[in-house]
Amino acid sequence: MGRVAAQYYVDYRSMEAYQQHLHAAIGDMDLVRVFSSSAEFERVQVRMDEKPELARLLERVPIPIKEAVDEPVAKVAVLLQAYIARLKLDGFALGADMVYVTQSAARLFRALFEICLRKGWAQAARRA
């Protein structure tokens, strides 16, 4: 776990959360939730002017999100899925946060993939 954290520059709190919440039969929704709750996104906040657009995007994303639209975990999950699904953002308010989430996604999902691979969880590794 330490080597994976060092190789992909993952915060130790994120690695601790990954250790607790990852399991062999993890689903897409749970994997997105684990990613979204990474410590790297603790400074991502939901601003009042973003809530209507986040609510609109929340209805259109492919993987449903259980959290409320005003929670930062939901914002990160929505932005990641909006990027993957190529959903158009109406305003510029979410643009900077989307760039940050998508730039972090590659290394964090690679770390999640490596963790699952080293534990021998083929199904979880495929999802990651």
Side-chain angles (χ1 to χ4, degrees):
M1 294 292 281
R3 287 179 194 254
V4 171
Q7 184 175 1
Y8 297 104
Y9 303 105
V10 180
D11 190 276
Y12 74 93
R13 294 168 295 170
S14 296
M15 292 301 287
E16 185 177 357
Y18 298 166
Q19 183 72 19
Q20 286 179 341
H21 300 293
L22 281 178
H23 52 85
I26 193 165
D28 291 335
M29 188 171 18
D30 291 330
L31 189 61
V32 170
R33 185 176 295 119
V34 168
F35 166 79
S36 300
S37 62
S38 297
E40 283 78 4
F41 303 120
E42 68 184 9
R43 289 200 171 99
V44 173
Q45 298 297 320
V46 179
R47 298 182 267 301
M48 290 301 291
D49 59 331
E50 297 173 341
K51 287 183 182 180
E53 187 172 3
L54 284 172
R56 182 185 60 78
L57 289 171
L58 188 63
E59 295 172 359
R60 297 178 61 204
V61 294
I63 300 172
I65 298 169
K66 291 182 182 177
E67 289 79 22
V69 73
D70 53 350
E71 293 183 37
V73 172
K75 180 179 178 179
V76 172
V78 165
L79 290 176
L80 174 70
Q81 292 186 64
Y83 178 78
I84 292 170
R86 297 181 185 217
L87 300 177
K88 185 177 182 258
L89 299 179
D90 289 335
F92 296 106
L94 294 174
D97 288 333
M98 180 181 262
V99 169
Y100 179 68
V101 168
T102 56
Q103 286 178 344
S104 300
R107 69 182 172 81
L108 293 177
F109 268 109
R110 181 64 185 190
L112 289 166
F113 170 75
E114 289 283 335
I115 292 167
C116 294
L117 198 62
R118 291 177 186 217
K119 292 187 180 250
W121 298 339
Q123 185 179 26
R126 184 183 63 79
R127 289 190 189 281

